[in-house]
Amino acid sequence: GLGQSRTFFDRIAGRFGKQAEARKALSGAVTAVRRDIASFRKKYGTRRLAYALRMGSYYEADRLAYGGLGDLAFFSELGFRPMLLVQGAQDAGSRAFHADQLRRLGQRGPFLMFPDPFLLLQLLRKNKFDLAYFSRNAFRDDERIDVPFVETRSLKPFLQGARVNIERVRRALEGKG
C-alpha cells in the first residue's frame, strides 16, 4: 500500500540522510497511487472486508513478522472496513488470547473466530462480506465461493505494486478477477 511503501522508503532514505531526495524521486509514483486510491474510494465507497487469519498461513517469515496482518493497511487505504476472521478454538480462553495478540499488533476492532478452515466459507456467506482476503486452499476444489476474493500472498510490494493491487481488487469486486 501507499503508507507502507512510503514508510519503507523513508526509513531507508533516512538512514543515509536522503529523505528529501527520495521523496522527490518518488513523488510521481506517490501521486499516481493517491489518485488511484481516491478513484477507487469514490467508485466503491466503504465496503466490508473479511480478512482471514489461518493457523496454516504463519510459516512464512513476512506473515509471522506482522501476525498475518501485513496487507491489512492496504485494504484500509482503499476504504474497506475489515473484519478479522481468526482460526482458533472457540473457548473463552482462546478468544481472550487472540484478542490480546491482536491488540499487541494494533488491532482494536472486532473479530470472529472459526475452528476449522472448512467452516470459513459458511462464515463468509453468513456475514455477507463484499470482499474476502484468504487462501484458496481453505476450500475444497468443488466448492463455489460466493464472495469476491483476493488470495493471500498475491499482492505486490511497493508503489507500483500498490497500483497493480488496486486493479486486482477492482477486478475482483466486478467479478472479473
Side-chain angles (χ1 to χ4, degrees), residues 22-48:
R23 285 185 184 141
K24 183 177 179 182
L26 295 171
S27 66
V30 167
T31 299
V33 174
R34 279 189 181 139
R35 186 177 51 245
D36 290 351
I37 289 171
S39 174
F40 184 94
R41 291 179 78 128
K42 182 178 181 182
K43 181 172 184 175
Y44 295 102
T46 302
R47 303 265 176 148
R48 295 183 64 227

Side-chain angles (χ1 to χ4, degrees), residues 61-73:
D62 58 329
R63 296 200 37 94
L64 278 170
Y66 298 101
L69 298 171
D71 294 327
L72 188 59

Side-chain angles (χ1 to χ4, degrees), residues 1 16 50 61 96 103 105 121 123 142 159 170 172:
F16 297 99
R103 270 192 301 279
L105 293 166
L121 189 55
L123 195 57
D142 63 340
L159 295 168
R170 184 193 64 74

Side-chain angles (χ1 to χ4, degrees), residues 36-109:
D36 290 351
I37 289 171
S39 174
F40 184 94
R41 291 179 78 128
K42 182 178 181 182
K43 181 172 184 175
Y44 295 102
T46 302
R47 303 265 176 148
R48 295 183 64 227
L49 171 72
Y51 192 100
L53 297 170
R54 294 186 46 236
M55 289 179 183
S57 57
Y58 289 116
Y59 60 88
E60 301 103 348
D62 58 329
R63 296 200 37 94
L64 278 170
Y66 298 101
L69 298 171
D71 294 327
L72 188 59
F74 164 73
F75 290 105
S76 295
E77 286 176 349
L78 293 182
F80 283 96
R81 285 188 339 258
M83 171 65 75
L84 301 178
L85 308 180
V86 180
Q87 182 181 349
Q90 301 297 287
D91 61 273
S94 177
R95 182 163 181 77
F97 170 79
H98 287 289
D100 184 55
Q101 293 300 316
L102 291 169
R103 270 192 301 279
R104 288 179 186 191
L105 293 166
Q107 299 302 309
R108 307 254 185 277

